[in-house]
Amino acid sequence: LQERISQWHDQSSRYSTELRDFKNQVLGMLEAAEKEREAMRAEAESAAVRVDRLEREVDYLETQNPAPPCVEVDETLMDKQVATAKQRKNEKYTKLTDCSDTIASVRAMKILKRFGSASGLWTKDAAGSSEKIYVFDGTANDTVYVFPRMREFTLFSATRKAARIKLPYPWVGTGHLVYDGHLYYIRQQGLSFQVIKFNLANKTVVDSSVFPAEEQIPVFGLSPSTYIEVSADEEGLWAIYATKEDEKNMCLAKLDPASLDIEQMWDTPCPRENAEGAFVVCGALHVVYNTRLPSRARVQCVFDVSGTLAPEDASLVYFPKRYGSHASLKYSPRERQIYAWDDGYQIIYRMEMKKKLEV
């Protein structure tokens, strides 16, 4: 018995020594891992500082060296465009308001959240005073999510805080708009497209109209699902579209919000190629361009229907960081900001405005 007790003491002593050595070894490994983690954190912070500095330098270089204009300088093409413009009665637009502002730059950017699929749109009522947020998830759907305020939309990732509006017909693309208590959305029926005017209060279709353009094609080269972009500004409602008749450039039409009639139409010099979105500010079409590979979005073509803004006087507006490509850009004339949908991220761009220079 004494021998067995002595053997047990020897084994216990040996196990205690091994355990102490193993503990010391683990503590040494943990200290080394902590040092490596601190070193990696310092390297990551240093890399972030260098990336921010590089982005500031890129912004500076892009501002100092603007990209060449999109429009091709071709006398034959210009003559053809002039002749076509005369045939289609592209008269100078008589302004309804005294709005004389244009975009100078993007003053601030705020990323709200990531919601839904890669393509969609979100917006407020462009004309009314309602604070409701309307969310259109996807390019082909029939259910609109309505959040009572920005706070509910920002704080909750699920849709349980949102009301749902079931539309009588599914929409197509991301060119829809909420204006003065009504939803104006695009419906495809065969080869033609309809503008549907839907009353948001009583959930009924007020009016619908087949868009008077033949052989329509996607209006933006980088957004193949959008054939008509309905936009609002200080002057009212506009429709941006494209046809095979002049498949290189976009067309613009002034809409009557009450009857959906086309009041006037223009052929613009703004190309469809590499365009990802567009909006209208004070009667001037602003087209945002990009590339299929990730790069920086910018307003590169401006067409003023009233002729009060010369192309050379328009600012070349750059948008800050981006994730993929803007699926929609909705300008709010009462807030002077843009509600953007970028690869599933909902973003607000606050705009810096300036006065137009008379031509």
Side-chain angles (χ1 to χ4, degrees):
L1 180 62
Q2 288 178 351
E3 289 178 357
R4 295 180 66 180
I5 292 175
S6 176
Q7 184 180 4
W8 177 77
H9 279 296
D10 292 341
Q11 291 176 351
S12 297
S13 177
R14 186 170 67 254
Y15 291 155
S16 298
T17 303
E18 291 177 355
L19 181 60
R20 185 170 57 255
D21 293 342
F22 177 72
K23 181 180 178 181
N24 293 333
Q25 183 181 2
V26 170
L27 289 176
M29 294 172 64
L30 289 176
E31 291 178 358
E34 182 66 21
K35 290 180 181 179
E36 291 181 1
R37 189 168 70 90
E38 292 295 331
M40 292 180 64
R41 179 187 299 173
E43 291 180 1
E45 292 177 352
S46 177
V49 171
R50 291 197 298 269
V51 169
D52 290 339
R53 186 184 303 116
L54 178 60
E55 287 190 343
R56 289 195 298 270
E57 292 176 355
V58 169
D59 289 339
Y60 174 78
L61 291 175
E62 287 178 340
T63 304
Q64 297 299 317
N65 302 284
C70 288
V71 184
E72 297 178 1
V73 181
D74 187 339
E75 294 182 359
T76 305
L77 179 61
M78 291 178 63
D79 293 340
K80 182 179 179 181
Q81 289 177 347
V82 171
T84 304
K86 290 181 179 179
Q87 292 176 1
R88 300 189 66 174
K89 298 181 180 180
N90 293 332
E91 301 109 359
K92 183 180 291 189
Y93 177 69
T94 302
K95 290 174 65 65
L96 302 176
T97 69
D98 58 354
C99 180
S100 60
D101 291 335
T102 184
I103 297 176
S105 63
V106 177
R107 178 166 57 90
M109 167 189 176
K110 184 176 182 181
I111 302 173
L112 268 297
K113 63 186 298 183
R114 187 172 190 178
F115 175 89
S117 55
S119 296
L121 72 100
W122 71 299
T123 185
K124 288 184 179 179
D125 191 322
S129 58
S130 173
E131 292 299 316
K132 292 182 178 180
I133 302 296
Y134 299 88
V135 180
F136 299 71
D137 186 14
T139 59
N141 206 334
D142 63 355
T143 302
V144 181
Y145 297 105
V146 184
F147 293 84
R149 288 176 299 275
M150 185 72 74
R151 182 176 181 273
E152 282 76 8
F153 176 65
T154 305
L155 294 181
F156 298 98
S157 59
T159 57
R160 57 187 177 86
K161 291 291 182 179
R164 290 172 171 82
I165 299 178
K166 184 81 169 179
L167 300 178
Y169 314 107
W171 70 71
V172 60
T174 59
H176 327 297
L177 182 74
V178 178
Y179 186 84
D180 196 20
H182 293 83
L183 166 61
Y184 297 81
Y185 75 97
I186 308 303
R187 175 198 182 195
Q188 184 173 6
Q189 193 172 21
L191 298 178
S192 62
F193 294 87
Q194 285 183 310
V195 180
I196 308 294
K197 182 180 179 181
F198 183 82
N199 189 300
L200 293 169
N202 55 30
K203 310 297 188 295
T204 58
V205 174
V206 178
D207 201 355
S208 65
S209 176
V210 176
F211 197 76
E214 298 180 354
E215 296 183 308
Q216 286 186 240
I217 57 178
V219 62
F220 307 124
L222 299 184
S223 300
S225 62
T226 301
Y227 286 79
I228 300 174
E229 174 76 27
V230 183
S231 181
D233 74 339
E234 295 77 4
E235 296 281 303
L237 288 190
W238 305 81
I240 309 164
Y241 64 101
T243 65
K244 284 188 177 180
E245 182 181 354
D246 183 12
E247 60 180 326
K248 290 184 62 177
N249 298 333
M250 301 178 190
C251 300
L252 181 66
K254 184 69 173 63
L255 284 177
D256 183 348
S259 63
L260 300 181
D261 291 337
I262 303 295
E263 297 179 350
Q264 201 168 339
M265 305 174 80
W266 296 266
D267 298 325
T268 79
C270 297
R272 294 174 51 251
E273 184 178 3
N274 290 333
E276 66 175 12
F279 49 89
V280 182
V281 179
C282 288
L285 173 67
H286 294 68
V287 184
V288 180
Y289 292 90
N290 215 310
T291 61
R292 295 192 182 277
L293 298 176
S295 66
R296 197 172 294 268
R298 62 193 176 192
V299 174
Q300 197 172 331
C301 186
V302 178
F303 173 73
D304 189 358
V305 297
S306 63
T308 58
L309 179 65
E312 60 270 15
D313 294 331
S315 299
L316 189 63
V317 180
Y318 288 90
F319 289 87
K321 296 178 182 178
R322 58 191 290 274
Y323 295 94
S325 175
H326 289 115
S328 61
L329 294 161
K330 290 298 172 183
Y331 172 69
S332 173
R334 64 186 177 97
E335 296 175 320
R336 295 297 178 90
Q337 60 188 22
I338 292 176
Y339 293 87
W341 190 294
D342 185 353
D343 197 26
Y345 288 89
Q346 288 73 50
I347 303 172
I348 292 178
Y349 294 111
R350 292 184 175 87
M351 315 307 291
E352 186 76 28
M353 312 300 286
K354 67 177 183 179
K355 294 297 181 181
K356 295 180 182 178
L357 298 176
E358 294 291 337
V359 180

